[in-house]
Amino acid sequence: MCAVFGISRSGYYDWTRRKESGRSQRHEWLKKQIRRIFFDHRRLYGSKKILEILKKQGVQVAEKTVARIMKELGLKSQTIKKYKATT
């Protein structure tokens, strides 16, 4: 298969034994934190409120990153409509 893809066997086996990068480790940690916060707040919090909680915990992250991770995980906040009396 290495010949088909045009890569060396040693390069392939080096890649399979490589440790996970720091960036991907942080990404996985963020996924766990975002999922925990989302479910702790009854699936009502969106990316902005989750970002506020993460910042209070001292985590430096962008809102777009939180929104992207929520989309990857399939987490979508529920919107509660206020009651409006109609006559």
Side-chain angles (χ1 to χ4, degrees):
M1 289 307 286
C2 290
V4 172
F5 290 114
I7 56 171
S8 66
R9 285 176 46 193
S10 62
Y12 168 74
Y13 285 109
D14 181 49
W15 175 76
T16 59
R17 293 185 191 111
R18 194 172 300 152
K19 290 182 181 179
E20 191 175 14
S21 70
R23 184 178 184 180
S24 61
Q25 287 176 351
R26 183 173 189 267
H27 189 74
E28 288 300 318
W29 181 82
L30 272 174
K31 279 183 177 181
K32 290 177 187 175
Q33 294 299 313
I34 290 170
R35 185 186 309 258
R36 182 185 55 78
I37 293 168
F38 183 77
F39 287 114
D40 284 351
H41 292 92
R42 301 180 325 206
R43 302 174 186 226
L44 297 174
Y45 279 16
S47 59
K48 289 183 181 185
K49 287 188 178 181
I50 290 176
L51 176 68
E52 288 176 15
I53 292 173
L54 287 172
K55 284 192 175 185
K56 285 180 185 176
Q57 294 175 356
V59 179
Q60 188 174 359
V61 65
E63 184 182 345
K64 283 189 175 186
T65 304
V66 174
R68 183 175 36 80
I69 291 174
M70 286 181 70
K71 190 172 184 178
E72 282 177 19
L73 297 174
L75 305 177
K76 192 173 181 182
S77 64
Q78 298 173 350
T79 54
I80 297 175
K81 294 187 178 183
K82 295 182 180 178
Y83 176 75
K84 184 176 181 181
T86 57
T87 56

